[in-house]
Structures are given as C-alpha cells and as structure tokens.
Amino acid sequence: SIAINEDGYVFAWGDNMKGQLGVSNAALAACSHPSLQSNCMGARPDVTPFPTSIADLYGERVLMTSARGNSNMATTKRVITYGWGENSVGQIGSGDRTDRAIPTQLATTLSHRFVLVAMGGEHAMGLTTLGEVYVWGSNLYGQLGQDTLNRGPASGGATPLSLTPIVVPGLVGKMVIKIAAGYAHCVVLTEDGETWVWGRNSNGQLGLGDKVD
C-alpha cells in the first residue's frame, strides 16, 4: 500500500519482494529524516507491516501516487514522474526491464510531463497538461491502444511492450481530463463527456456489450 501525507511525503508498507516500497538500504543507513524513518540503520525489509517514508522522494512534493501489483508510480508538483518496484515489461517507464527498489524518474522525463498517472497490472498511463494520453509497459491485450497504427495485437503488427511512454493515437485531438487503468485495460474521460476504453475485455470489463479485447 502507498499513501501521501499533507506535506507531500510518501509512505509505503506491505510486501517488498520487488522493491515496491521504495525503501533502499542506503536511505535507511543514512537516516536523513529519523522522525519519518521508523527502521533506521536496518537492512531493506522484505515485508514492512507499518508505513515507512520513502526517503528518496524527500525534497519533492508528491501530488499523487498510483499502485497496482508490485509496481508504483508518483507525480510531483514539479511535474516529474517516478516509478519503482517490478519492471518486468517496462511498466515503470525507466527505459529498461530492471526492477527498481527506489523511485526512478521516467527515462523521458524532460519530454513527458504528466499531471496524472495510473498504474495497471503490467502497464501504466500518463496524462499531460494538454490532455494527451501516453502509455507504456505490456501490450499483450492491446492495453497500449496502438491498433489504429497497425502496431497492436489485433492488427497483426504486434507491439508486445513499450519501455517508454508512447501516445495513444486514437485519442489525438481529444482533450482527456481523467484516466484510469485496470489490470490490462484503460479507461479515459474527455472534457466533452466521452468515455473511451481499450485493452482486455475477457469479462466484459470494457462495457461494450461483448467479451472481445
């Protein structure tokens, strides 16, 4: 689990086998904020049953976080996006497939400024100030929304994953104001009140009246 306090500090607790708590050995040893770090001088735990501050985000005022499975995303007042935890298919946007035990900036931070982020099961979404939607991570069920460019599973030109953010082409020109990510599907809301969905639909989760991805 993950939470933000009124000062913009981020706390996490629970399982840490993939580094999803963002608590590094170096941060614990340094113990730069003892009033926030309850396990100073200890080794990075596999399980933490109580909220522990993520020291590597000190100095940033975090505005929102999103967590699912073993991966986390956060965006800050400076419009910088961080990801950490499991990264087997590039879902934290670091540009590789290496798990991260501490918050790591997006590989394309300078060119992608997200005001909202949403973490899916093995993919993630970001919304810019211009209402553009970007996605990254797994595209196994079309959750990256690339079929309109003949680059998705349904098109025959499969793009299995993306290690960095790519725009959702079917939404270009639309002003999106809200985003949400399911385990393997996406939902967005535009300023015109339109709802757009894509990705896995094995149980009808897209609400389209069928079970077709």
Side-chain angles (χ1 to χ4, degrees):
S1 300
I2 191 167
I4 311 171
N5 72 5
E6 60 184 5
D7 296 317
Y9 290 127
V10 182
F11 295 79
W13 61 98
D15 186 14
N16 196 37
M17 293 299 290
K18 295 291 184 178
Q20 59 265 49
L21 299 190
V23 182
S24 67
N25 287 335
L28 292 175
C31 199
S32 55
H33 290 70
S35 63
L36 296 175
Q37 292 169 251
S38 55
N39 52 349
C40 289
M41 304 306 292
R44 180 169 69 89
D46 290 334
V47 175
T48 298
F50 43 79
T52 299
S53 181
I54 299 178
D56 288 271
L57 286 175
Y58 292 157
E60 293 279 14
R61 186 173 182 85
V62 175
L63 299 181
M64 74 160 297
T65 61
S66 183
R68 187 176 293 272
N70 297 320
S71 307
N72 300 298
M73 302 294 299
T75 189
T76 72
K77 186 176 181 179
R78 296 193 299 143
V79 203
I80 295 175
T81 300
Y82 291 86
W84 64 97
E86 185 172 3
N87 195 35
S88 56
V89 288
Q91 60 263 53
I92 66 170
S94 57
D96 55 36
R97 300 172 71 172
T98 303
D99 295 347
R100 294 293 201 282
I102 60 173
T104 303
Q105 288 188 23
L106 284 182
T108 55
T109 289
L110 295 180
S111 56
H112 295 107
R113 301 286 189 170
F114 299 127
V115 293
L116 295 177
V117 290
M119 191 77 235
E122 293 186 333
H123 72 291
M125 308 171 65
L127 178 67
T128 72
T129 55
L130 299 177
E132 302 165 321
V133 178
Y134 285 79
V135 287
W136 58 96
S138 173
N139 194 38
L140 183 62
Y141 299 102
Q143 59 263 54
L144 299 190
Q146 300 298 303
D147 285 337
T148 51
L149 291 182
N150 196 38
R151 294 201 308 234
S155 68
T159 299
L161 57 85
S162 178
L163 300 179
T164 55
I166 52 177
V167 72
V168 177
L171 294 174
V172 172
K174 296 185 178 297
M175 183 67 179
V176 174
I177 58 174
K178 297 289 184 181
I179 59 174
Y183 182 81
H185 70 282
C186 300
V187 183
V188 303
L189 176 68
T190 71
E191 65 175 358
D192 296 327
E194 299 175 336
T195 300
W196 293 77
V197 295
W198 65 94
R200 193 170 193 183
N201 195 34
S202 56
N203 294 303
Q205 54 263 56
L206 299 185
L208 300 174
D210 58 37
K211 294 185 179 182
V212 180
D213 293 350

